[in-house]
């Protein structure tokens, strides 16, 4: 089992007697059915169905019988997420705060399921621990040290799990393009949430044209955002990579046409092969 202190992750806390109901009407994941021991992927969308924020939700039981929902989010977006949730709060009996200064995130992966909450995006992704920042150094020693962000990224990429801001752009990508429909990030039976009509239409009409896909790289890995071409046709853009593995946001039909024609996908100096 490996452990990585995810220093790029922050935590937004949503508490109070109406915490679950408040989030249920906003985000793509089902908050009402969120179980202890689970970290469930979800997103807060624009009314047009584009991803503004994505996060892993976990529930922490309080002594008064209510739940606090912890949102494991990109650290540099925690403050903006707090502002957005506060905007929607109105008269709901919830308390929203940025706990990134007090709580940190550790990912456990690469072995038998460990302690913490199970990351529901992929059965092999591992678990997450959210604990006080003051305890992290001591906790990491019990796991044999910090494997590091790059090692965890390699693990994530190998499993085909996208990372927001690298593999898809916030404010520009639909949940289907980020594979949220395939990685337990959208509950299509939970009822309304912001942007739900657009997302449901894409689901039931099958109109998704772009997706984050796994690719094998032959050559120097292009940086995120590098254009992927098939001859003179733009097919998509590169995302994150590690060694000979990578993720790319590709136009599905154009990638398939290139494969059928035996035409190579190229980005920078690298040739890409769909995995």
């Amino acid at each position: 089992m490996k452990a990585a202190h995810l220093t790029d992750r922050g935590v937004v806390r949503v508490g109070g007697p109406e915490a679950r109901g408040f989030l249920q009407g906003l985000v793509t994941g089902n908050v009402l059915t969120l179980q202890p021991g689970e970290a469930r992927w979800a997103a807060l969308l624009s009314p047009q169905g584009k991803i503004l924020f994505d996060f892993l939700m976990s529930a922490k039981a309080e002594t008064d019988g209510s739940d606090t929902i912890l949102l494991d989010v990109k650290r540099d977006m925690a403050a903006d997420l707090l502002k957005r949730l506060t905007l929607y709060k109105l008269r709901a009996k919830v308390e929203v705060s940025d706990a990134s200064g007090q709580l940190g995130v550790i990912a456990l992966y690469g072995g038998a399921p460990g302690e913490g909450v199970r990351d529901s995006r992929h059965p092999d992704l591992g678990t997450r621990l959210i604990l006080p920042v003051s305890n992290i150094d001591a906790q990491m020693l019990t796991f044999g040290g910090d494997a590091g962000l790059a090692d965890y990224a390699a693990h994530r990429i190998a499993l085909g799990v996208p990372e927001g801001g690298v593999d898809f752009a916030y404010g520009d990508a639909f949940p289907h393009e980020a594979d949220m429909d395939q990685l337990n990030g959208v509950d299509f039976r939970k009822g309304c949430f912001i942007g739900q009509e657009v997302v449901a239409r894409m689901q039931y009409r099958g109109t998704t044209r772009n997706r984050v896909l796994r690719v094998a790289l032959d050559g120097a890995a292009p940086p995120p955002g590098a254009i992927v071409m098939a001859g003179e046709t733009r097919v998509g853009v590169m995302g994150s990579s590690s060694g000979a593995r990578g993720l790319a946001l590709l136009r599905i039909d154009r990638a398939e046409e290139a494969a059928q024609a035996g035409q190579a996908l190229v980005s920078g100096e690298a040739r890409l092969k769909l995995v």
Side-chain angles (χ1 to χ4, degrees):
M1 176 68 67
K2 294 182 178 181
H5 178 197
L6 304 184
T7 53
D8 58 343
R9 304 296 292 182
V11 179
V12 170
R13 187 199 308 264
V14 183
E18 298 179 1
R20 285 186 182 253
F22 168 68
L23 288 172
Q24 181 74 357
L26 297 178
V27 306
T28 59
N30 196 323
V31 192
L32 300 184
T33 61
L34 182 65
Q35 298 297 313
E38 177 186 11
R40 183 173 290 177
W41 197 21
L44 180 61
L45 310 180
S46 70
Q48 295 75 33
K50 301 291 185 72
I51 301 171
L52 299 178
F53 306 89
D54 72 316
F55 34 78
L56 290 171
M57 308 183 297
S58 58
K60 178 178 178 292
E62 302 293 351
T63 54
D64 62 0
S66 65
D67 287 328
T68 293
I69 307 300
L70 300 178
L71 307 180
D72 170 352
V73 65
K74 288 184 75 70
R75 189 180 184 90
D76 59 3
M77 299 184 73
D80 288 338
L81 175 58
L82 173 62
K83 291 178 183 178
R84 183 61 63 106
L85 293 176
T86 301
L87 180 67
Y88 288 126
K89 179 181 173 182
L90 300 177
R91 297 182 180 179
K93 296 179 181 178
V94 296
E95 298 176 357
V96 186
S97 61
D98 183 354
S100 302
Q102 297 78 47
L103 298 175
V105 182
I106 294 174
L108 301 175
Y109 58 100
E115 55 186 294
V117 290
R118 176 181 54 83
D119 191 328
S120 64
R121 289 177 292 179
H122 191 287
D124 296 328
L125 201 50
T127 59
R128 312 277 272 220
L129 276 176
I130 297 178
L131 68 168
V133 172
S134 58
N135 296 348
I136 287 182
D137 288 344
Q139 187 71 56
M140 293 302 293
L141 289 176
T142 68
F143 300 125
D146 191 346
L149 292 176
D151 189 82
Y152 180 71
H155 175 66
R156 172 185 62 77
I157 291 166
L159 296 175
V161 177
E163 175 78 14
V166 183
D167 299 308
F168 61 89
Y170 290 111
D172 189 56
F174 293 106
H176 286 76
E177 294 177 332
D179 300 336
M180 294 192 74
D181 59 316
Q182 298 183 353
L183 298 173
N184 301 311
V186 183
D187 188 322
F188 294 100
R189 297 174 295 179
K190 60 166 280 188
C192 293
F193 54 85
I194 297 173
Q196 182 261 345
E197 291 184 3
V198 177
V199 176
R201 187 161 58 245
M202 293 184 72
Q203 174 73 4
Y204 298 119
R205 292 184 179 177
T207 55
T208 305
R209 296 190 301 177
N210 304 293
R211 278 199 182 275
V212 174
L213 302 174
R214 289 189 294 171
V215 294
L217 302 173
D218 182 7
I227 296 174
V228 178
M229 302 290 292
E232 300 298 318
T233 302
R234 176 171 171 155
V235 180
V237 294
M238 272 298 301
S240 54
S241 60
S242 178
R245 294 171 170 171
L247 299 176
L249 179 60
L250 302 178
R251 175 80 176 256
I252 300 170
D253 56 347
R254 293 177 182 173
E256 289 177 343
E257 289 171 3
Q260 292 172 359
Q263 193 172 34
L265 300 181
V266 178
S267 182
E269 299 178 0
R271 293 167 68 93
L272 282 60
K273 181 180 179 181
L274 297 179
V275 178

